Amino acid sequence: MVPVSFHDFFSGCATIAGALIGLLFVALSVSPEYQVRAGAAFSALVNTMVIALFALLPTTDFGTVAIILAATGLGTTAALVFVLVREDKRIGRGDLYMFLILLVLYGLQGANAVQLEHTPHRVGLIANQGVLAVLFFLFGIARSWQLVGAREFGLVSTLASLIHRAADNGPQTAGGDQPRNAGRATDPEDPGAGHASA
């Protein structure tokens, strides 16, 4: 049984998850060719919505529910990897990272759920499930963002872009005085140039 103090949090999680699942269907209508990849985001969001709904039931064995959902999530992720390999014959680096992150999240959820099964009244373990729900949200949102073809903004990519831009705006030739002297020799207002033509 989840303490009453968590009810507002899980109620909000259930509402947000339902809204994000609806938005994911919209994203799929824009990019229908990414249905398998969207399955990862769908799995994460459904996991969060279901666990939040069960947390609101007064007599729920929260640990058992979390174990079942973690096992289902691990199985679903393995199936998605199999389908993606069968369709595309390979998995890109981005897809590999995505599936690894999802497997880690489900693994953490399962490990926490086993502890919660043995000590169902430990508030810290229930709070951990709440933190994992937030992480599942972030995963689902990030994956949906990629599906609609939006540009990714990350620390590494941003720094790389800034460094590349700085390199493009820097001096193009070695020997800092040479370009300056060359420009001065062709300057029509240079007094030396006038004497030479005379």
Side-chain angles (χ1 to χ4, degrees):
M1 179 177 175
V2 177
V4 178
S5 57
F6 285 95
H7 281 195
D8 288 342
F9 172 78
F10 284 113
S11 177
C13 284
T15 302
I16 294 169
L20 290 176
I21 289 171
L23 291 175
L24 183 59
F25 284 119
V26 175
L28 275 176
S29 69
V30 175
S31 305
E33 67 274 16
Y34 295 121
Q35 289 183 2
V36 175
R37 292 173 173 86
F42 184 77
S43 172
L45 294 175
V46 168
N47 176 287
T48 306
M49 184 181 69
V50 172
I51 202 166
L53 290 173
F54 273 102
L56 297 174
L57 293 176
T59 58
T60 298
D61 186 348
F62 198 48
T64 301
V65 171
I67 289 173
I68 294 171
L69 287 174
T72 302
L74 288 170
T76 301
T77 304
L80 288 172
V81 172
F82 175 77
V83 172
L84 189 60
V85 170
R86 188 180 64 182
E87 288 188 355
D88 292 355
K89 307 302 180 186
R90 66 181 184 85
I91 298 181
R93 183 180 299 176
D95 291 325
L96 180 62
Y97 289 156
M98 173 194 68
F99 286 122
L100 285 177
I101 290 171
L102 196 56
L103 287 172
V104 168
L105 288 176
Y106 282 127
L108 291 173
Q109 185 184 39
N112 181 264
V114 170
Q115 297 180 46
L116 192 57
E117 178 73 12
H118 296 298
T119 53
H121 299 293
R122 282 185 59 185
V123 175
L125 295 176
I126 297 173
N128 288 343
Q129 289 290 330
V131 172
L132 286 168
V134 173
L135 293 177
F136 277 119
F137 275 140
L138 293 175
F139 176 87
I141 292 170
R143 192 57 188 158
S144 300
W145 184 262
Q146 293 170 354
L147 288 173
V148 295
R151 182 180 174 184
E152 292 183 42
F153 293 96
L155 179 60
V156 175
S157 60
T158 302
L159 288 176
S161 176
L162 290 175
I163 292 171
H164 183 68
R165 189 177 305 165
D168 288 344
N169 293 335
Q172 301 296 323
T173 58
D177 291 335
Q178 291 179 0
R180 199 177 297 123
N181 292 338
R184 195 173 293 161
T186 58
D187 189 355
E189 296 181 5
D190 190 354
H195 290 305
S197 60

